[in-house]
C-alpha cells in the first residue's frame, strides 16, 4: 500500500473513473472477497489497512445512540454543493425520524480553505452557543467507544490523538478561548472531528485529507435493509449491517455504498493532520500486525 499511496495525487478524490481504472490496472487486487465476520486486512508488508467489526455496537448502545442524537438530528443541512451535501445523494426518512443531511462537528478545527499558516483553529458552527453544549454531551458515549477501539487498532495514533487534544486544551486556555476550552474538556474522543451522516447515498470516492497511515472509524446504526460497503480498489466487500464498525484510511481506500430506503445514521470519526501540525504532534507510522495484541 506504500507504493499505491505514492501513486496517488495529493488531492485524489476517487471520482474520476478513468483515473481509477488506470490505478486499478496498475495495482489489481489478487482476488475478490465478501466479508461478513470480524476481519483484519493486511498488506504484503504487514501493515494493517482495514479493521471490520460487524456487531460492534450492541442493540442497547444503538438505542442509547438514537436517544441522544435527537439533539443533533435537527441540525444536518442539505446544500446544493459538492456531492457530499448535494440533495440528490440523500433519501427521505420513511417515518420522519431522521433528517437527511450531513454535519461536521469539532471542538477545534480549521474552516475550509484556512488550513494554512496565519489562521487558528475554531469551534465548528454546530457547537457554538448553548445548543452546542448539548451536542458535545450527546456524542460522549460514541466518542468513548471509537477511542477504545482505536486504542487496540492503532495504539500510536491513539496516543497522538490524545496528545493533540491535551495540547489544544492548553492552547485554548492560554488564549482564553473559553468556548473551545469548554468543549475540549468534555470531548471524549481522541479524534478531533466527527461527521454525522443521515440517509446518504455515497458514490465511489476517497477522502484526500486523510493520512494514509491513519485510520478513520465509521459506525452505522438504524433500521434499513442489509447493504454492502465496497472497498473497490481492494476487491473487498463488507456486509454493512446496523451496528457495524469499519476502520481504514479513506485516502487509500476507494469506497462506495448505496442505501435507498430506511433510516441510517453513520458517524465518521477522523483526525485532521493540520490540527496535529498546529500543536506539533509528530506523525505516526502504519499500524503493523505484529504490534497488535489479538
Amino acid at each position: 500500500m506504500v507504493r499505491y499511496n505514492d501513486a496517488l495525487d495529493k488531492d485524489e478524490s476517487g471520482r474520476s473513473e478513468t483515473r481509477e481504472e488506470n490505478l486499478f490496472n496498475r495495482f489489481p487486487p489478487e482476488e475478490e472477497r465478501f466479508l461478513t465476520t470480524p476481519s483484519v486486512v493486511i498488506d504484503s508488508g504487514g501493515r494493517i489497512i482495514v479493521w471490520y467489526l460487524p456487531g460492534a455496537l450492541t442493540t442497547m448502545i444503538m438505542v442509547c445512540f438514537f436517544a441522544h442524537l435527537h439533539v443533533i438530528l435537527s441540525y444536518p443541512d442539505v446544500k446544493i454543493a459538492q456531492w457530499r451535501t448535494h440533495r440528490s445523494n440523500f433519501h427521505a426518512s420513511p417515518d420522519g425520524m431522521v433528517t437527511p443531511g450531513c454535519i461536521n462537528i469539532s471542538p477545534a478545527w480549521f474552516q475550509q480553505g484556512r488550513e494554512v499558516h496565519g489562521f487558528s483553529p475554531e469551534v465548528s458552527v454546530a457547537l457554538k452557543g448553548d445548543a452546542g453544549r448539548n451536542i458535545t454531551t450527546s456524542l460522549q458515549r460514541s466518542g468513548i467507544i471509537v477511542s477504545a477501539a482505536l486504542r487496540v487498532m492503532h495504539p500510536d495514533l491513539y496516543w497522538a490523538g490524545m496528545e493533540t487534544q491535551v495540547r489544544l486544551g492548553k492552547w485554548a486556555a492560554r488564549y482564553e478561548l473559553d468556548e473551545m476550552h469548554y468543549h475540549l474538556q468534555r470531548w471524549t474522543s481522541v479524534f478531533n472531528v466527527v461527521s454525522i451522516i443521515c440517509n446518504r447515498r455515497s458514490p465511489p470516492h476517497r477522502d484526500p485529507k486523510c493520512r494514509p497511515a491513519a485510520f478513520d472509524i465509521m459506525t452505522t446504526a438504524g433500521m434499513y435493509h442489509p447493504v454492502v460497503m465496497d472497498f473497490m480498489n481492494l476487491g473487498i466487500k463488507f456486509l454493512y449491517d446496523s451496528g457495524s464498525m469499519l476502520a481504514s484510511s479513506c485516502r487509500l481506500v476507494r469506497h462506495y455504498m448505496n442505501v435507498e430506503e430506511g433510516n441510517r445514521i453513520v458517524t465518521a470519526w477522523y483526525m485532521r493532520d493540520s490540527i496535529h501540525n498546529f500543536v506539533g504532534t509528530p506523525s505516526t507510522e502504519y499500524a503493523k500486525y505484529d504490534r497488535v495484541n489479538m
Side-chain angles (χ1 to χ4, degrees):
M1 293 307 291
V2 173
R3 291 182 179 178
Y4 186 87
N5 179 63
D6 290 342
L8 297 177
D9 295 334
K10 180 180 179 182
D11 296 319
E12 201 83 60
S13 69
R15 303 287 288 132
S16 169
E17 293 298 334
T18 302
R19 167 65 171 160
E20 290 299 328
E21 182 179 1
N22 178 268
L23 286 169
F24 190 87
N25 291 335
R26 289 177 62 188
F27 302 95
E30 292 185 0
E31 59 181 310
E32 293 190 355
R33 293 179 177 271
F34 180 56
L35 301 179
T36 61
T37 58
S39 307
V40 179
V41 179
I42 302 168
D43 76 355
S44 59
R47 301 171 189 86
I48 300 176
I49 307 303
V50 181
W51 282 81
Y52 169 54
L53 300 173
L57 305 183
T58 65
T59 300
M60 183 180 70
I61 290 174
M62 287 188 286
V63 168
C64 182
F65 180 67
F66 265 85
H68 283 87
L69 277 182
H70 76 277
V71 176
I72 302 172
L73 296 184
S74 60
Y75 280 82
D77 186 22
V78 181
K79 303 176 182 178
I80 301 176
Q82 58 167 321
W83 71 265
R84 297 175 191 275
T85 53
H86 197 281
R87 294 180 184 278
S88 63
N89 286 320
F90 296 85
H91 69 85
S93 168
D95 54 13
M97 293 298 293
V98 169
T99 302
C102 174
I103 185 170
N104 300 315
I105 301 169
S106 175
W109 75 336
F110 289 102
Q111 299 293 338
Q112 187 172 2
R114 296 189 175 185
E115 294 179 330
V116 294
H117 181 71
F119 290 96
S120 297
E122 302 175 36
V123 177
S124 65
V125 173
L127 293 188
K128 293 183 177 180
D130 293 339
R133 299 189 174 197
N134 293 331
I135 290 177
T136 295
T137 300
S138 299
L139 289 167
Q140 287 178 337
R141 179 186 290 265
S142 181
I144 290 171
I145 290 171
V146 296
S147 296
L150 187 67
R151 177 67 178 86
V152 176
M153 296 171 175
H154 199 325
D156 290 347
L157 185 62
Y158 170 88
W159 289 114
M162 183 75 76
E163 183 176 357
T164 297
Q165 300 296 66
V166 171
R167 291 184 180 189
L168 276 172
K170 291 180 178 179
W171 176 79
R174 184 184 309 123
Y175 289 97
E176 299 181 347
L177 303 174
D178 296 338
E179 189 170 46
M180 181 182 295
H181 190 253
Y182 174 91
H183 288 293
L184 285 168
Q185 283 184 312
R186 291 157 180 82
W187 188 261
T188 59
S189 176
V190 295
F191 295 92
N192 58 285
V193 188
V194 60
S195 294
I196 309 295
I197 306 164
C198 304
N199 288 2
R200 188 177 74 185
R201 308 175 186 93
S202 294
H205 69 283
R206 303 174 187 276
D207 297 313
K209 291 186 178 182
C210 298
R211 289 185 55 244
F215 285 153
D216 306 331
I217 294 184
M218 297 179 289
T219 67
T220 179
M223 297 292 292
Y224 56 91
H225 293 299
V227 296
V228 172
M229 173 70 83
D230 190 350
F231 281 13
M232 305 170 73
N233 59 312
L234 300 185
I236 302 175
K237 297 179 179 179
F238 306 87
L239 182 63
Y240 203 45
D241 279 347
S242 183
S244 297
M245 179 182 290
L246 267 170
S248 68
S249 168
C250 290
R251 169 178 168 80
L252 291 179
V253 176
R254 189 186 189 217
H255 49 292
Y256 160 79
M257 188 194 61
N258 192 27
V259 177
E260 295 289 347
E261 57 185 15
N263 288 327
R264 186 177 66 90
I265 302 175
V266 169
T267 61
W269 294 87
Y270 51 97
M271 300 181 187
R272 279 287 177 253
D273 210 33
S274 55
I275 291 294
H276 285 226
N277 291 336
F278 178 78
V279 297
T281 304
S283 296
T284 58
E285 298 298 326
Y286 289 89
K288 293 289 191 74
Y289 180 77
D290 59 4
R291 295 181 60 189
V292 176
N293 296 319
M294 301 298 290

